[in-house]
Amino acid sequence: MPHCLSWLLDPPNPRWVPLLLALGLSGCSHAGYYTQLLSGQLELLQRREPVAELLADPARDPVLRQRLALAQAARAFASARLGLPDNRSYRLYADLARPFVLWNLFATPEFSLAPQTQCFPIAGCVAYRGFYEQNRARGAAALLQQQGLDTYVAGVEAYSTLGWFDDPLLNTMLHWDDQRLAAVIFHELAHQQFYLPGDTAFNESYASFVEAEGLRQWRAARGLPVPADNRERQREQFGALVLASRARLETLYASGQSEAELRHGKAVEFERLRAEYRQLRAREWAGVGRYDGWIDSPLNNAKLLPFGLYEQWVPAFAKLFRQVQGDWPAFYARVKGLGELPSAMREQALKNLQAER
């Protein structure tokens, strides 16, 4: 029988049935892709260890124990003060012995910024395909390039299974500074609190607001000053630069020009983006740029896709939080209410919140 059906008929563990069912419902035509998703997730689950046991073991690496202790403090704060789920997620640890947990593959047509989407019964449609092995992601990208598509492969250091499993802290996360480590825990638990299948901008903007506000409250509770570095400002400025370039490309692709003219205009736009980046770096960043590697490597439509998804509706969720006077349960209830609206009504409600002062 087809391998994907055998997963459903003879699953190795009842707790994995939701994931296996999701994969089986997605069809057998891409069984190889779903097989690697299954094996990658199962490997991650099998490598988990309770953090409490690691912290109590003096033979374990003291640096690892220090990082895990910090993560547990942030984890406790997330549930006690931010109203986020109180479960075993991020109270376990897994060392995957690699720098990324998976690699996401983004793809677009040559003259469009519309992503190729991957749809799942639980998560809905997303603008990428995930691979647990970098070579698999690169191989899939090469096949799409042969079809004339733009592709981009990006490493991912953390993700959420939306509460289907007890997500562990990963070795890929522990090299971050204290603030980012806490922030990502808040972000991923926000996805467990509420997730709207098929609306990436809504989900990521909401989780990004919870991350930012949660981190502000975390700093205040621990008596920490606002970071003196300008990394957040640089990230915002760079994102704005890329989004402006993407908007110009969208106008270009809608212009009705010939393929040769579109190809030339696309190349010109990417050179403009590089030039504007260098000007920004020299003018405001004292010549030191965090994004040199990204800007100097090949640019295409797919590489621009991740920008904007995490920030588009953040001001709207900030306004919503102020409307409920910082009450987290009331905020989550309002978020859920927005998520239950039809797509067009939800977008209009977010625009209205965004426009309010």
Side-chain angles (χ1 to χ4, degrees):
M1 68 175 64
H3 186 55
C4 55
L5 290 181
S6 71
W7 297 343
L8 298 179
L9 299 176
D10 188 24
N13 186 307
R15 292 193 65 217
W16 300 338
V17 168
L19 176 64
L20 303 182
L21 181 60
L23 301 184
L25 288 174
S26 299
C28 300
S29 60
H30 301 290
Y33 173 67
Y34 293 115
T35 298
Q36 66 87 29
L37 281 184
L38 174 64
S39 62
Q41 180 64 42
L42 295 187
E43 179 200 9
L44 186 151
L45 296 177
Q46 291 165 354
R47 286 178 175 263
R48 295 177 303 176
E49 303 176 76
V51 171
E53 294 181 9
L54 292 173
L55 292 176
D57 184 355
R60 299 303 288 257
D61 178 9
V63 175
L64 171 64
R65 293 167 66 202
Q66 184 274 329
R67 301 300 291 147
L68 291 176
L70 183 279
Q72 293 312 278
R75 179 64 185 83
F77 184 88
S79 295
R81 300 288 292 275
L82 308 181
L84 291 168
D86 190 1
N87 53 33
R88 292 184 62 198
S89 288
Y90 308 111
R91 293 184 169 116
L92 303 164
Y93 173 70
D95 187 343
L96 301 177
R98 59 179 186 261
F100 299 105
V101 58
L102 52 76
W103 287 261
N104 282 343
L105 168 59
F106 299 87
T108 70
E110 183 181 5
F111 304 122
S112 171
L113 285 155
Q116 277 204 336
T117 56
Q118 183 75 35
C119 297
F120 300 91
I122 296 170
C125 297
V126 294
Y128 50 82
R129 297 174 68 194
F131 295 84
Y132 282 92
E133 296 178 20
Q134 186 177 28
N135 286 338
R136 284 181 177 268
R138 289 175 172 173
L143 291 175
L144 294 177
Q145 289 164 13
Q146 291 176 6
Q147 301 172 28
L149 298 176
D150 283 8
T151 67
Y152 175 55
V153 174
V156 177
E157 295 164 315
Y159 70 92
S160 171
T161 60
L162 308 179
W164 286 100
F165 302 102
D166 297 325
D167 295 319
L169 295 160
L170 300 170
N171 65 294
T172 57
M173 304 163 62
L174 296 188
H175 67 277
W176 297 335
D177 64 34
D178 292 357
Q179 307 306 303
R180 188 181 177 199
L181 179 58
V184 170
I185 291 172
F186 303 155
H187 184 107
E188 300 302 343
L189 286 172
H191 285 313
Q192 291 191 18
Q193 181 73 24
F194 182 78
Y195 183 87
L196 178 62
D199 194 333
T200 302
F202 181 95
N203 293 322
E204 296 302 345
S205 296
Y206 146 72
S208 292
F209 168 74
V210 174
E211 169 189 327
E213 177 59 24
L215 187 57
R216 187 193 68 77
Q217 294 187 18
W218 162 258
R219 288 184 184 129
R222 295 171 70 89
L224 300 173
V226 176
D229 62 62
N230 62 352
R231 285 179 295 177
E232 184 65 20
R233 176 61 176 161
Q234 287 185 3
R235 186 185 67 82
E236 292 175 357
Q237 290 178 319
F238 182 67
L241 210 64
V242 175
L243 289 175
S245 181
R246 194 166 74 180
R248 291 191 294 268
L249 284 170
E250 288 175 337
T251 300
L252 171 68
Y253 297 151
S255 67
Q257 297 181 43
S258 69
E259 285 195 3
E261 291 171 323
L262 291 176
R263 195 166 289 118
H264 173 73
K266 179 180 177 181
V268 169
E269 175 54 43
F270 284 136
E271 285 309 309
R272 174 178 175 175
L273 174 58
R274 287 191 174 101
E276 291 184 348
Y277 169 77
R278 294 184 184 110
Q279 292 168 7
L280 174 66
R281 184 184 62 183
R283 183 178 64 249
E284 299 196 30
W285 301 354
V288 178
R290 298 170 55 207
Y291 303 100
D292 289 4
W294 189 95
I295 205 77
D296 290 332
S297 58
L299 298 177
N300 61 31
N301 297 328
K303 199 169 182 178
L304 308 187
L305 285 180
F307 289 86
L309 291 176
Y310 284 64
E311 299 87 13
Q312 182 177 350
W313 301 118
V314 168
F317 288 109
K319 177 62 178 179
L320 198 65
F321 191 71
R322 291 194 296 272
Q323 286 182 351
V324 299
Q325 299 173 327
D327 182 290
W328 283 108
F331 171 74
Y332 296 131
R334 293 283 299 275
V335 171
K336 184 175 184 292
L338 282 174
E340 292 172 346
L341 295 174
S343 177
M345 293 180 63
R346 180 170 64 251
E347 183 170 343
Q348 187 57 54
L350 290 167
K351 287 180 179 177
N352 292 343
L353 283 166
Q354 205 109 299
E356 293 179 13
R357 296 188 178 182

